[in-house]
């Protein structure tokens, strides 16, 4: 992924919007009761172990996890996002990295979350990414994945007044569940919800899975 021109577009786009993203999105868990509940399941499953937040952005979810007694490690493609996360959440660890080549050893994490990060992968990259997620999880480790539901691809060239070049791939719940199963995960729970008033008006999908 780090050698891909498309992923370079994603990295550069998030670098450009990093500060404003933090201001606008950094407090989102305050109104996302479903997300907090599912993240609580992940924390309980990790049992005080190490939880990865893959595609962590400015680190607000990573920080939330760390506050609940796990060792939290955030990973993001954007150096600007990682810089903000390290500044704002010194209680957690942050690394620059990529979903197709994670900066982590085999079985390093007891659990992982990937909240709206797989949406920037091309369809053919989902299976390799899920194989990489499986690699870094311990056996029976828990994985939470979330994404926008649908089949469209939204390309953005302007975001909050900034010039960007990034694609958002909407995904179908059963398609992602099938790819996770092929990668060696057991999907334990599927959930769909409508949008909260404070967020982008898209329907959301969540999958809670365990590494085989």
């Amino acid at each position: 992924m780090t050698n891909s021109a498309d992923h370079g577009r994603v990295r550069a786009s998030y670098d450009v919007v990093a500060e404003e993203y933090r201001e606008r999105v950094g407090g989102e868990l305050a109104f996302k009761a479903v997300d907090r509940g599912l993240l609580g399941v992940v924390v309980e499953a990790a049992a005080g172990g190490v939880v990865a937040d893959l595609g962590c952005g400015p680190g607000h979810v990573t920080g939330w996890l760390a506050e609940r007694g796990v060792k939290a490690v955030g990973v993001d493609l954007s150096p600007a996002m990682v810089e903000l996360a390290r500044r704002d959440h010194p209680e957690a660890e942050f690394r620059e990295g990529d979903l197709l080549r994670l900066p982590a050893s085999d079985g390093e994490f007891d659990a992982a979350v990937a909240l709206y990060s797989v949406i920037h992968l091309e369809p053919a990259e989902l299976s390799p990414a899920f194989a990489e997620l499986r690699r870094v999880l311990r056996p029976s480790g828990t994985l939470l994945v979330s994404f926008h539901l649908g089949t469209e691809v939204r390309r953005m060239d302007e975001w909050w007044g900034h010039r960007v070049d990034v694609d958002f791939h909407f995904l179908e719940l059963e398609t992602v569940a099938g790819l996770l199963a092929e990668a060696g995960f057991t999907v334990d729970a599927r959930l769909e919800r409508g949008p909260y008033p404070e967020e982008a008006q898209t329907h959301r999908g969540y999958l809670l899975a365990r590494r085989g």
Side-chain angles (χ1 to χ4, degrees):
M1 193 169 178
T2 53
N3 295 322
S4 164
D6 282 343
H7 296 157
R9 291 194 294 114
V10 175
R11 181 187 300 106
S13 296
Y14 275 95
D15 279 349
V16 166
V17 301
E19 286 281 1
E20 189 151 5
Y21 188 101
R22 171 187 168 275
E23 290 297 320
R24 290 175 177 261
V25 181
E28 64 178 346
L29 286 180
F31 64 82
K32 289 191 171 184
V34 171
D35 296 60
R36 293 197 309 270
L38 290 169
L39 288 168
V41 172
V42 172
V43 168
E44 184 173 342
V50 186
V51 180
D53 179 12
L54 305 175
C56 66
H60 54 293
V61 172
T62 323
W64 188 96
L65 292 166
E67 290 169 359
R68 280 149 184 85
V70 300
K71 179 182 178 183
V73 178
V75 178
D76 202 86
L77 185 66
S78 161
M81 288 290 196
V82 170
E83 181 179 354
L84 288 176
R86 286 172 175 161
R87 183 190 73 192
D88 292 347
H89 303 283
E91 71 279 13
E93 177 187 348
F94 295 95
R95 307 171 187 174
E96 288 182 33
D98 183 285
L99 290 178
L100 295 187
R101 191 182 305 137
L102 289 168
S105 58
D106 294 357
E108 179 175 347
F109 305 125
D110 297 284
V113 302
L115 305 182
Y116 307 100
S117 51
V118 300
I119 61 173
H120 297 304
L121 298 174
E122 294 296 322
E125 294 174 322
L126 288 172
S127 289
F130 292 150
E132 181 69 348
L133 292 178
R134 185 181 186 278
R135 178 186 70 80
V136 300
L137 279 169
R138 64 163 173 78
S140 299
T142 296
L143 172 66
L144 173 65
V145 182
S146 67
F147 43 89
H148 303 285
L149 289 171
T151 58
E152 67 177 295
V153 180
R154 292 188 187 180
R155 170 161 288 190
M156 292 180 61
D157 56 16
E158 186 274 336
W159 196 357
W160 299 322
H162 301 280
R163 294 291 299 174
V164 297
D165 184 10
V166 61
D167 295 336
F168 292 76
H169 294 261
F170 288 46
L171 301 166
E172 294 182 302
L173 204 67
E174 291 307 317
T175 298
V176 179
L179 292 172
L180 284 170
E182 290 174 7
F185 288 91
T186 298
V187 176
D188 291 326
R190 298 166 168 83
L191 188 148
E192 300 181 24
R193 71 163 174 85
Y196 294 115
E198 302 92 334
E199 66 185 355
Q201 297 299 287
T202 64
H203 281 71
R204 314 297 175 106
Y206 302 80
L207 292 167
L208 197 63
R210 282 178 294 112
R211 180 201 189 277

